[in-house]
Every structure is written in structure tokens, then in C-alpha cells.
Amino acid sequence: MSADGYLGKFRREGRIVIVGASLAGLRAAETLREEGFTGTLTMVGDEPHEPYDRPPLSKQVLLGKVPYDHTALPRRRAIDAQWRLGVAATGLNPADRQVHLADGESVEYDRLLITTGVRARPWPNDLEADLDGVFVLRTKDDAAQLHHRLKAGPRRVLVIGAGFTGSEIASACRERELPVTVAERGPAPLVGALGGVIGGVAAALQREHGVDLRCGVQVTGLEGDPAGRVRRAHFSDGTAIEVDVVVASLGATRNTEWLAASGLGAGPRGIACDAGCRAFDVRGIVTDDIFVAGDVARSPHPLFGYQFLSLEHWGNAVAQAEVAAHNMISASSDRRPHVWMPSFWSAQFGVNIKSVGVPPMADQILITQGSLAEHRFTAAYGHQGRVIAAVTFDQAKWLDFYERQIEQAAPFPTDFPTVDRRPEGMQPQSAGFPDPSLPSHGPTVTLSGHSPADRRISFTPLRA
């Protein structure tokens, strides 16, 4: 059978399995149907829910503005899929083209798409994590439980970790007028994602809104009462506070453990894939029947030195899923690369924070518009003499401009005489990112070098 004949038969009768009933999984399924795939489509998800939207969980759901069960993703079209929900994938046999499931069954495929995403990293002490009142926030069930507890009016909430999710949780607590303490082992909130200069602004925002922000400290233990309810938190500086609710916001873990014996280039950094979303094996050889998309993927990006990037971004999940789905059912000559501009947004303490590019790659920062003191500004990030990222606080109108600068490899520092540049922004300064070898709660982009087969990563013991 010719290549065209095989592809036509596959598009009509083939078997595609998507592991990960997520945003990326759903958008990929829709794209497959839109582009003419009429074969069997199976969706596997470890949660009992069909795909839902995660950004509202730490914002509108915690504030009670959106019920947790009203976060289902809108459907672009019917996907005519066989749903296997509430059952996790436990293994993959590429030779036999089988996905093994937790219920003992296996699903066969002709082509596989992995969109398993990430999960919240739990509090590392199991006994303390099991105390009533200790939460993480990743799933809609997490959000429902935490919303219920916040609505009850706890005396004090402790948020461990001041990355984006932790900061958004703290913001929701203050909007509810709840006393909240934020413990961050780094020097400032958001330091892993945006650096120390912007972290200083984030710290000021939190304190101005009544947050008891404690930086440079670790939570050394959580203490419960005889009924098993959390009541006290102890810090590395010797202090302790009384708490009713603790939210561990310690970053995310990529869901790759089920692939340990698969031979794929999968590890704590994610699953390595090429620009066409095809997975690499541990030898660095690209597969042609296994594809990857979304938060769990790490792929090379030409705008950022072909570093393998893992992007925890809503827009990236959609764009990469669409490219992966297209390439799964297309001839090699018709495939296209996934070259998406990283972007991110957050709403906290009355400020809209948006970014483009890869801030953690930068070594310098320049305030180009507005004022840090007024919490309304635009900052450009530089690396090796070129613009690689920008972040805005309530000045999103500038992002399109800086996106073009990144795409054109514009020189850094920038020099635009028509720009409103305050004295504080006249000279570049160190961006203030922490040592990249240390774990961080905050990055939404993880740089992982240039080797698709590299699965090595190490973290220090998980304390805030």
C-alpha cells in the first residue's frame, strides 16, 4: 500500500488514543475531527470529570463567583469519543502499541497523544498533609473543597509558596477579608517566574493589601489537634502561628511516572518532543506514532536558543494540541511546527499581570514604561544582548509590541525615544532570578537544556 493509501485508510479507520482528558486533550480531539479523522477516538482521564478550565479555580471559584461545577470547557464540536474517565494510565508498551490502565485493561492504538499535564506537588510530610484543613489546589474538586472551607470563615489561612497560584489564593483570601499569611522560602513572591525586581513589586502589593508576607523562611512543620485538624504552623525562624487552613502551593509535578518503563524520553522535566510534537525515546530518536502536547511536553524553541521548554500556559496547551492533532493525521510533507510565543497572565490584588517570552532565561531587566512604585509598568528582559521577554502590570497594551521585538531578536537594552521612560528605568539591572538549580514554586516556564534524552533532575527536600 502506498503512503497516501495508508494515510487515507488510517484517517478513515485508525485508532487514536489521547491520554489526558485535559484542555489540550479536548482541543486535540476536536481538531482531529475537524480535519477529517473518522476512526476510533478514545479519551483516557484519571479524573472522573470531562475536561474543564483550570484558571478560574484559583480566581473566580475561590471567590464564589463561579461554581466549581460550572467550569466545563466549551465544546467547539462533537468529538464522538469513547471516554475512559476516572481511570489512570499506568503504563505504555510502544512495541505492542498498548496503553495499560489502572483497572487492569489495556487500550490499543495506532497513534497516541499524551496530554497528561501536571499535578500539584503535595506537602511532603504525609501525616501532616492528611490533617483536616491542609489543601492543594489543582483540580476542580480541590477548588470546591477549599472554597467551602474559606466560605466558613477560618481565623487564619496559611499559603505556603508565593508563586502565581499561591499569590492568587492569597489575593482571594484578602478579597474575602480573611487573615492570610504567605510563607515563601525565596526573597520575594513570583521570584522564580519574574525575578527579584518584579518580585519586590509583588511583595509590596501583598503587604499593602494586608497579607502577612514572610519571605526567606521555611515552614518546618504543621501541627494538628487531637481531632486531626490543623491548628499551628512552625517556621524556620523559630516562630509559629495559629491556623485553620493551610494551602500548600509548592509548584507542579509533571505526570510522567507511568512512562518509566516505556523507553520514552520522559522524566520530571516532562516528555521531550520535536517541533512537530513527536515524542523522543531515551536514545534521542524521534518516534512517529507517539505525540505530546500541553504542560507535560518539553520541546525546542528556535526563538530561545533551541532550549527545550516546558510551558505551563493555557494558550500553549491549545496551540500545541492543535499542531499535534494535525500532524498525527498528515503526511510528513504537510506537517507543521509548533512555534508558539509563550505568554501568561494572572489577576491578583487588583492588578492584571501579563507576560510574553521566557523571563527566567533573562539576566537583565529594564523598566521601559510606567513606574514600579505605582505598580503600573512595562519591563523588558534581556539575555545576551537581545530582548527575550516582557512583563506588564496593568499595561497590557504594550505586549504586542514586545512580542514583535522578541520575534525580531531586537537588541537589548531597548532604545525607543518616544517611550515614556521614568528615571528608574534608564539603566538595565540584574533581573534577580534565583539559582536555577534550586526548586521554585513560581516558574511557568522550565528551561531544560538541549538534550531530548535528558531525564535527570534533582530537588532539595520539599520545605517551603
Side-chain angles (χ1 to χ4, degrees):
M1 183 182 295
S2 68
D4 289 343
Y6 169 79
L7 182 60
K9 180 178 174 61
F10 168 72
R11 290 171 67 98
R12 294 189 305 272
E13 304 174 9
R15 301 165 299 178
I16 290 180
V17 174
I18 298 177
V19 179
S22 58
L23 167 67
L26 177 62
R27 294 297 180 244
E30 292 169 335
T31 302
L32 288 169
R33 295 306 192 197
E34 287 170 2
E35 297 198 9
F37 178 72
T38 58
T40 302
L41 180 59
T42 303
M43 303 284 291
V44 177
D46 60 351
E47 292 186 57
H49 313 290
E50 292 193 8
Y52 57 89
D53 205 13
R54 296 188 189 276
L57 301 183
S58 59
K59 304 175 181 71
Q60 293 96 328
V61 172
L62 290 191
L63 292 171
K65 296 180 178 179
V66 174
Y68 83 98
D69 54 356
H70 286 196
T71 55
L73 286 165
R75 299 293 182 88
R76 296 176 178 174
R77 58 162 298 147
I79 61 174
D80 186 26
Q82 299 175 5
W83 293 88
R84 299 295 302 273
L85 298 176
V87 55
T90 56
L92 172 65
N93 186 332
D96 294 337
R97 293 185 173 179
Q98 290 187 337
V99 176
H100 304 303
L101 305 180
D103 60 6
E105 295 188 14
S106 296
V107 183
E108 296 183 343
Y109 65 86
D110 296 310
R111 288 192 176 162
L112 170 68
L113 176 61
I114 302 173
T115 60
T116 47
V118 302
R119 65 184 184 276
R121 189 175 291 136
W123 182 246
N125 184 304
D126 292 341
L127 292 177
E128 295 174 1
D130 287 341
L131 290 171
D132 181 29
V134 178
F135 298 88
V136 295
L137 179 58
R138 175 66 186 174
T139 70
K140 65 191 300 182
D141 292 334
D142 294 336
Q145 294 167 9
L146 183 55
H147 167 254
H148 176 74
R149 195 60 63 93
L150 296 182
K151 187 178 179 181
R155 290 174 299 173
R156 178 164 293 274
V157 178
L158 169 64
V159 179
I160 308 175
F164 278 109
T165 300
S167 297
E168 289 171 2
I169 294 168
S171 177
C173 288
R174 291 308 301 141
E175 192 163 341
R176 283 185 170 275
E177 299 184 350
L178 296 174
V180 59
T181 295
V182 173
E184 167 57 47
R185 65 183 162 207
L190 310 184
V191 68
L194 300 178
V197 174
I198 306 305
V201 179
L205 262 176
Q206 293 204 15
R207 292 186 171 118
E208 288 173 11
H209 284 80
V211 174
D212 172 27
L213 176 62
R214 305 186 183 196
C215 296
V217 299
Q218 299 180 8
V219 176
T220 56
L222 303 175
E223 183 181 341
D225 64 15
R229 295 169 296 204
V230 67
R231 283 293 175 260
R232 187 175 293 106
H234 297 269
F235 298 93
S236 57
D237 60 6
T239 61
I241 60 171
E242 303 294 316
V243 295
D244 297 319
V245 172
V246 175
V247 188
S249 185
L250 303 176
T253 298
R254 286 169 174 81
N255 293 315
T256 60
E257 293 86 352
W258 67 286
L259 297 168
S262 68
L264 294 186
R269 299 177 187 272
I271 307 168
C273 63
D274 70 1
C277 306
R278 296 179 299 173
F280 283 100
D281 69 15
V282 292
R283 302 166 297 171
I285 298 175
V286 71
T287 65
D288 202 44
D289 56 359
I290 301 175
F291 293 72
V292 193
D295 296 358
V296 76
R298 64 184 187 100
S299 57
H301 202 302
L303 287 177
F304 305 101
Y306 289 95
Q307 287 260 9
F308 278 79
L309 304 183
S310 298
L311 303 172
E312 295 177 34
H313 296 165
W314 195 97
N316 177 73
V318 173
Q320 193 169 31
E322 292 171 345
V323 170
H326 170 82
N327 291 346
M328 290 176 82
I329 59 174
S330 296
S332 58
S333 58
D334 294 328
R335 290 175 177 172
R336 59 177 186 252
H338 170 63
V339 187
W340 186 77
M341 175 63 68
S343 65
F344 184 78
W345 72 277
S346 175
Q348 52 188 266
F349 303 103
V351 173
N352 286 315
I353 303 172
K354 296 187 177 183
S355 73
V356 292
V358 183
M361 195 174 175
D363 44 46
Q364 290 189 305
I365 190 172
L366 178 67
I367 308 305
T368 55
Q369 287 89 30
S371 166
L372 294 176
E374 296 172 6
H375 307 159
R376 181 180 172 86
F377 60 88
T378 300
Y381 291 83
H383 175 66
Q384 296 182 347
R386 53 165 290 202
V387 178
I388 61 162
V391 64
T392 64
F393 276 47
D394 281 344
Q395 282 198 343
K397 66 181 181 181
W398 287 102
L399 282 185
D400 288 345
F401 171 79
Y402 281 100
E403 182 172 334
R404 293 193 297 272
Q405 299 303 303
I406 297 167
E407 292 171 343
Q408 296 166 10
F412 181 92
T414 59
D415 184 20
F416 305 112
T418 60
V419 163
D420 167 28
R421 184 177 292 168
R422 307 289 180 91
E424 62 185 317
M426 291 300 292
Q427 296 296 326
Q429 57 184 304
S430 170
F433 284 98
D435 184 340
S437 68
L438 298 176
S440 172
H441 302 150
T444 59
V445 179
T446 300
L447 304 170
S448 52
H450 299 83
S451 171
D454 182 11
R455 298 191 294 177
R456 297 166 299 168
I457 192 169
S458 60
F459 287 113
T460 56
L462 280 173
R463 287 286 186 255

